[in-house]
């Protein structure tokens, strides 16, 4: 049997359907009203939310106790300058990812203030940093727990039981994942602030599924029954 | 070479042919430069720097090496695309974003044998005339990023990087650049945009072929980490010798990563095209789990079309045409393409008879809906629609027509997008529906065809008024 593929043609435009829409529209649609921003949830309050605050999601989470507030130290400046040196002098913007990684490493997540600092360092408008932060799932916009679990949810791990692992981790740490959204708000933090979980896409170790990353440590073959052991490794 | 010992339980299978993974899981091996040098490391680099750069490129061309990142494009020919009259700096980028589901080979190279990659990069940079090279590594390899930076510092201290490498007058700096968990950064032009500090929106080709207009609009060669490691072995053996490995037009070795429902998952470095699915899944992976049967295999990362284990294919044209069952298919670029799928990145995902195909499909569509960069409409909207329709099928809320709708969406993404992500997201859906239509339709029901009052009115209108 040869594998010839028949390509279905797109459905023809149904003129009558268009006419129906013209006659009977506008169909009433309930548009939810925009909720006013709850100022108390924003960590960095001014009288008016800045463009950064409006565009990045940074409510205070129980995880915030684990991280110092953003502060520029000489050490950070020096590390940033080293990173910037890796790129041609007229292409400082290339260092935006490395600088954001530095910030996230020290302060847990990317806050509006740190965006201003990165933008200043690279001589670009803050919005150019915001667009990067909001695109990449690797940059967190709110404080995770002290130990951040990233569980792989892609095919091989799912077959190996990563959904069960996630359920077990949430059960043990008391995390409620019901509000999580893979695009807008992927991270869920435990009430104690020690743990947080997130689904990751294929972590490139499908042969040892299911796998997860805890902060920077990689763990293989963590089936749900090993969840307890895994968490006890991280209880300090 | 026969005195190499591997860690207990990690010994290579007898059908393997280890070049790239020679040092992976090796007893007494570590990532330091001393270990690498004691094993004869960087000798090929010294030899290559004595050659004319053109001769190095010719050797790679002669080897027939095809890129291991997914597209299988001949590496030597790609290097030849740099415009001859170019005056801008040339860049070399190692694509170590490895995020195609099912693929896990670059991980072991950068975690266990970083110097092999660096040696390959210096030789490649010398051949294409690059003085700056970047390793774009995915964010989820934090340990490897540190290992690589340490290895780069070691190589620099020993004079294999930096100014005037080994007295040849050739300069090269390599930097590690970490991504941030976005699959689309694996696409070469998306990767370049990401390296420039922007959102990784892939560029449209033509005109933005990286070899002419790449990083900072200068000529740029992007190669997969495994491809760059092969360069070391090609120069060591000579292109003519290397081409004898594997099969014609599919030379060398490649790493197959097997995951899913087999007894022994893992990586196997084999000569391209010398291994059939039967040998791979039964001999090397130990067959299906007890009491189960193989059902379907995704042969080259989740973007490739799925194959049924009980199919047969006609491979070749005219007099050369052969009928082969799935089990007798050799795993090489051309055969898998002829079978309607692709060899891709070498990630083989196996499913047995306990897996519901609607569930598998749903998992895959979620991946692509999450990872679309959102730049072009067919892909951004289509991948989300495919996710929603497959959600319905998986949850048993679909009507039989939904399968057809899903197929139509896929065919309307395919070929209409800026980058190959469009195909990557559409092919698995097209393949799945092609091979498992009955099973998918079997999970739907006419009873789910819930009609709102508005829809009833609409249908009435459409059937009467003219
Ligand atoms: C959506 C998409 C994702 C890709 N992801 C990767 C990847 O993770 N790693 C990789 O090496 N190549 C990836 N590629 C292929 C690259 O675009 C490019 O072809 C490759 O790096 C070239 O290297 P090679 O010639 O050595 O294979 C991807 C391509 C597409 C379209
Ligand atoms: S095909 Fe998809 S991933 Fe590629 S540019 Fe378009 S939207 Fe982005
Ligand atoms: S599917 Fe989980 S690591 Fe690849």
């Amino acid at each position: 049997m040869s594998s010839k593929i028949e390509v279905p043609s797109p459905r023809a435009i149904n003129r009558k359907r268009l006419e129906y829409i013209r006659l009977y529209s506008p169909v009433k649609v309930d548009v939810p009203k925009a909720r006013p921003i709850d100022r108390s949830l924003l960590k960095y309050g001014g009288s008016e939310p800045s463009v950064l605050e409006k565009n990045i999601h940074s409510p205070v989470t129980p995880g915030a106790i684990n991280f110092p507030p953003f502060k520029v130290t000489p050490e950070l400046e020096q590390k940033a300058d080293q990173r910037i040196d890796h790129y041609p002098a007229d292409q400082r913007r290339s260092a935006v990812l490395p600088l954001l990684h530095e910030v996230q490493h020290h302060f847990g997540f990317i806050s509006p203030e740190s965006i201003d600092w990165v933008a200043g360092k690279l001589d670009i408008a803050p919005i150019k940093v915001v667009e990067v932060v909001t695109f990449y799932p690797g940059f967190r916009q709110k404080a995770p727990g002290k130990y951040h679990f990233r569980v792989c949810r892609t095919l091989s791990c799912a077959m190996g039981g990563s959904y069960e692992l996630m359920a077990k981790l949430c059960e043990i740490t008391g995390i409620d994942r019901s509000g999580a959204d893979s695009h807008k708000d992927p991270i869920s933090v435990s009430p104690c602030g020690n743990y947080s979980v997130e689904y990751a896409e294929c972590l490139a170790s499908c042969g040892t599924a299911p796998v997860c990353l805890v902060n920077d440590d990689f763990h293989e073959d963590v089936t749900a029954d090993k969840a307890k052991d895994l968490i006890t490794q991280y209880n300090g | 070479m026969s005195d190499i010992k591997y860690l207990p339980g990690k010994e290579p299978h007898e059908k393997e042919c280890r070049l790239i993974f020679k040092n992976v899981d090796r007893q007494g091996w570590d990532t330091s430069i001393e270990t690498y040098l004691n094993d004869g490391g960087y000798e090929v680099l010294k030899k290559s720097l004595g050659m004319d750069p053109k001769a190095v490129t010719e050797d790679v061309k002669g080897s027939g090496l095809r890129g291991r990142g997914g597209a299988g494009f001949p590496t030597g020919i790609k290097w030849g695309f740099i415009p001859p009259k170019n005056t801008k700096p040339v860049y070399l980028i190692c694509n170590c974003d490895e995020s195609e589901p099912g693929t896990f080979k670059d991980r072991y190279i950068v975690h266990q044998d970083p110097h092999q990659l660096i040696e390959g990069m210096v030789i490649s940079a010398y051949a294409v005339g690059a003085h700056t090279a970047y390793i774009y590594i995915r964010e989820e390899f934090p340990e490897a990023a540190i290992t690589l930076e340490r290895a780069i510092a070691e190589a620099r201290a020993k004079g294999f990087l930096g100014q005037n490498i080994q007295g040849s007058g050739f300069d090269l700096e390599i930097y590690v650049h970490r991504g941030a968990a976005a699959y689309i950064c694996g696409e070469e032009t998306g990767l370049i945009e990401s390296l420039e500090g922007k959102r990784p929106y892939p560029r449209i080709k033509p005109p933005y072929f990286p070899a002419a207009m790449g990083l900072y609009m200068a000529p740029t060669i992007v190669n997969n980490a495994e491809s760059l490691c092969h360069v070391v072995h090609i120069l060591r053996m000579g292109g003519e010798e290397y081409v004898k490995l594997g099969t014609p037009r599919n030379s060398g070795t490649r790493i197959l990563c097997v995951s899913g429902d087999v007894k022994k998952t893992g990586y196997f470095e084999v000569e391209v095209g010398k291994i059939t699915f039967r040998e791979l899944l039964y001999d090397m992976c130990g067959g299906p789990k007890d009491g189960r049967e193989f059902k379907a295999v995704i042969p080259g990362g989740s973007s490739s079309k799925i194959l049924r284990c009980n199919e047969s294919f006609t491979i070749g044209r005219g007099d050369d045409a052969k009928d082969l069952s799935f089990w007798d298919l050799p795993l090489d670029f051309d055969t898998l393409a002829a079978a309607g799928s692709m060899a891709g990145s070498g990630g083989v995902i196996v499913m047995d008879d306990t897996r519901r195909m609607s569930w598998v499909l749903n998992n895959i569509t979620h991946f692509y809906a999450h990872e679309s960069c959102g730049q072009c409409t067919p892909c951004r909207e289509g991948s989300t629609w495919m996710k929603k329709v497959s959600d319905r099928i998986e949850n048993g809320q679909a009507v039989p027509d939904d399968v057809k709708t899903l197929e139509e969406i896929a065919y309307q993404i395919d070929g209409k997008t800026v980058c190959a992500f469009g195909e990557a997201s559409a092919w698995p859906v097209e393949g799945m529906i092609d091979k498992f239509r009955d099973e998918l339709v079997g999970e739907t029901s006419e009873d789910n065809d819930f009609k709102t009052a508005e829809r009833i009115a609409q249908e009435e209108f459409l059937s009467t008024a003219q």
Side-chain angles (χ1 to χ4, degrees):
Chain A
M1 187 189 86
S2 88
S3 48
K4 203 168 143 267
I5 297 169
E6 233 177 68
V7 183
S9 58
R11 277 184 194 153
I13 293 175
N14 187 338
R15 303 246 160 242
K16 266 172 107 186
R17 213 185 163 88
L18 288 182
E19 192 190 340
Y20 174 82
I21 293 170
R22 191 175 54 77
L23 281 177
Y24 291 92
S25 286
V27 182
K28 251 191 232 141
V29 184
D30 266 342
V31 182
K33 279 218 183 74
R35 263 182 299 142
I37 295 177
D38 181 354
R39 302 290 313 155
S40 65
L41 289 179
L42 291 172
K43 193 165 178 186
Y44 304 100
S47 53
E48 233 341 81
S50 73
V51 63
L52 299 183
E53 282 171 333
K54 275 193 242 162
N55 283 292
I56 88 161
H57 172 94
S58 61
V60 181
T61 72
I65 47 167
N66 301 309
F67 302 101
F70 179 74
K71 187 166 163 268
V72 183
T73 58
E75 191 202 359
L76 185 65
E77 290 271 3
Q78 191 209 343
K79 278 205 175 136
D81 290 336
Q82 265 174 16
R83 290 283 159 196
I84 294 171
D85 267 354
H86 290 177
Y87 307 92
D90 55 345
Q91 302 288 351
R92 293 167 74 86
R93 183 175 177 185
S94 282
V96 60
L97 259 62
L99 257 56
L100 289 170
H101 277 306
E102 284 299 338
V103 170
Q104 181 159 292
H105 187 74
H106 290 285
F107 305 102
F109 68 105
I110 311 291
S111 59
E113 290 176 337
S114 62
I115 288 181
D116 272 333
W117 175 74
V118 171
K121 210 64 200 154
L122 301 177
D123 249 347
I124 51 177
I127 190 67
K128 292 193 169 159
V129 184
V130 175
E131 75 173 21
V132 168
V133 174
T134 51
F135 185 92
Y136 292 92
F139 294 124
R140 303 190 276 265
Q141 298 174 32
K142 65 181 190 185
K146 188 167 175 191
Y147 303 110
H148 185 51
F149 291 70
R150 286 198 273 176
V151 179
C152 174
R153 66 148 283 284
T154 316
L155 189 54
S156 305
C157 286
M159 293 200 284
S162 65
Y163 284 50
E164 291 79 359
L165 170 66
M166 178 59 108
K168 195 82 195 164
L169 288 174
C170 290
E171 185 195 314
I172 297 174
T173 54
I175 293 177
D176 171 19
R177 268 197 87 250
S178 58
D181 172 309
S182 67
H183 271 287
K184 295 190 199 92
D185 191 10
I187 299 173
S188 316
V189 190
S190 70
C192 63
N194 257 349
Y195 303 102
S196 54
V197 292
E198 176 183 11
Y199 268 132
E201 297 296 348
C202 184
L203 294 173
S205 189
C206 324
T208 54
V211 299
C212 77
L213 265 169
V214 185
N215 293 352
D216 280 357
D217 309 340
F218 186 65
H219 296 271
E220 304 175 317
D221 279 321
V222 251
T223 39
D225 51 326
K226 297 186 192 148
K228 183 106 209 160
D229 291 346
L230 181 66
I231 290 175
T232 39
Q233 287 178 43
Y234 296 97
N235 58 0
Chain B
M1 288 253 254
S2 54
D3 54 337
I4 298 178
K5 287 213 172 47
Y6 291 89
L7 297 173
K10 304 260 187 184
E11 296 88 358
H13 189 271
E14 56 186 27
K15 285 190 179 145
E16 281 190 57
C17 168
R18 291 230 175 160
L19 295 177
I20 310 296
F21 269 22
K22 189 181 101 190
N23 302 323
V24 168
D25 297 329
R26 186 172 163 179
Q27 253 177 35
W29 186 261
D30 60 36
T31 57
S32 71
I33 196 165
E34 282 76 24
T35 313
Y36 191 67
L37 285 172
N38 285 339
D39 198 50
Y42 287 112
E43 286 303 319
V44 186
L45 169 64
K46 290 180 195 158
K47 179 181 126 192
S48 311
L49 290 180
M51 291 163 69
D52 185 59
K54 284 211 182 68
V56 178
T57 309
E58 279 311 312
D59 236 8
V60 175
K61 257 190 206 157
S63 75
L65 175 67
R66 295 173 73 169
R68 304 296 197 241
F73 193 82
T75 305
I77 296 185
K78 189 196 276 190
W79 291 2
F81 286 156
I82 296 181
K85 292 200 183 113
N86 169 56
T87 50
K88 294 179 181 165
V90 177
Y91 294 99
L92 175 77
I93 300 176
C94 164
N95 187 343
C96 190
D97 192 59
E98 189 159 64
S99 29
E100 178 74 23
T103 319
F104 47 97
K105 57 195 176 62
D106 301 346
R107 155 182 292 277
Y108 296 96
I109 297 171
V110 290
H111 279 88
Q112 299 195 23
D113 205 358
H115 284 290
Q116 182 184 189
L117 177 61
I118 293 172
E119 183 171 7
M121 285 184 73
V122 182
I123 299 171
S124 309
Y126 178 66
V128 302
H131 298 294
T132 311
Y134 293 99
I135 303 178
Y136 191 99
I137 186 164
R138 64 182 303 192
E139 185 256 353
E140 294 93 329
F141 291 170
E143 198 189 315
I146 297 169
T147 309
L148 277 170
E149 288 198 327
R150 196 179 51 227
I152 289 170
E154 286 174 339
R156 217 164 184 284
K158 295 261 188 219
F160 297 115
L161 275 178
Q163 302 276 313
N164 192 12
I165 298 173
Q166 300 295 306
S168 66
F170 175 66
D171 309 333
L172 177 70
E173 292 295 347
I174 300 182
Y175 302 111
V176 177
H177 184 96
R178 293 181 67 200
Y183 169 67
I184 197 58
C185 293
E187 204 282 339
E188 51 190 2
T189 53
L191 185 157
I192 287 170
E193 288 280 308
S194 175
L195 232 168
E196 290 183 357
K198 305 175 192 155
R199 282 186 169 196
Y201 288 149
R203 297 175 181 169
I204 194 147
K205 295 183 269 186
Y208 296 108
F209 289 109
M213 287 187 265
L215 185 62
Y216 314 130
M217 285 300 138
T220 305
I221 297 295
V222 185
N223 271 127
N224 173 257
E226 186 193 340
S227 313
L228 290 169
C229 290
H230 277 287
V231 171
V232 181
H233 300 276
I234 290 167
L235 268 291
R236 178 170 56 79
M237 303 160 73
E240 279 161 32
E241 204 44 45
Y242 181 91
V243 93
K244 290 183 190 152
L245 289 171
T247 49
R249 289 197 15 90
N250 291 279
S251 57
T253 63
R254 80 170 308 180
I255 299 153
L256 299 173
C257 313
V258 187
S259 62
D261 298 321
V262 289
K263 275 221 181 84
K264 181 176 174 291
T265 56
Y267 36 81
F268 304 95
E269 182 168 359
V270 297
E271 288 183 50
V272 187
K274 288 277 175 78
I275 295 285
T276 60
F277 275 111
R278 177 174 294 120
E279 287 169 293
L280 180 69
L281 298 186
Y282 280 99
D283 301 350
M284 303 173 103
C285 298
K289 291 185 180 161
D290 295 330
R292 303 195 197 169
E293 258 174 62
F294 287 137
K295 180 172 181 182
V297 171
I298 297 177
S302 74
S303 305
S304 55
K305 290 189 182 179
I306 196 165
L307 300 173
R308 262 192 351 237
C309 294
N310 57 4
E311 274 182 287
S312 53
F313 304 89
T314 310
I315 307 291
R317 282 211 192 102
D319 295 342
D320 292 341
K322 282 183 289 190
D323 277 332
L324 289 180
S325 80
F326 166 80
W327 293 108
D328 295 324
L329 289 182
L331 280 125
D332 64 51
F333 292 99
D334 299 329
T335 312
L336 285 174
S341 186
M342 63 171 181
S345 55
V348 180
I349 310 175
V350 187
M351 278 141 284
D352 66 21
D353 52 357
T354 58
R355 304 290 170 195
R356 276 167 58 220
M357 283 302 139
S358 61
W359 179 87
V360 173
L361 179 64
N362 190 235
N363 188 292
I364 296 177
T365 54
H366 271 250
F367 174 79
Y368 290 104
H370 187 254
E371 299 296 339
S372 165
C373 86
Q375 189 180 204
C376 40
T377 317
C379 168
R380 179 189 61 240
E381 302 301 320
S383 59
T384 317
W385 291 352
M386 291 197 298
K387 165 178 140 176
K388 288 182 180 166
V389 178
S390 71
D391 269 345
R392 278 211 297 273
I393 300 178
E394 210 263 324
N395 293 334
Q397 294 167 342
V399 294
D401 251 5
D402 278 344
V403 177
K404 196 162 147 254
T405 309
L406 188 59
E407 192 177 23
E408 279 175 11
I409 302 171
Y411 279 105
Q412 291 184 55
I413 299 174
D414 194 345
K416 300 180 182 66
T417 55
V418 170
C419 82
F421 184 99
E423 283 80 52
S425 60
W427 282 347
V429 177
E430 292 168 11
M432 188 71 87
I433 295 180
D434 187 32
K435 303 287 157 79
F436 293 98
R437 187 187 301 271
D438 294 344
E439 186 182 329
L440 293 175
V441 172
E443 295 200 18
T444 61
S445 156
E446 290 285 3
D447 297 345
N448 291 328
D449 196 6
F450 172 73
K451 286 185 186 167
T452 56
E454 192 209 338
R455 176 141 170 234
I456 294 169
Q458 180 185 10
E459 279 179 4
E460 238 163 53
F461 175 86
L462 292 178
S463 64
T464 56
Q466 187 59 53

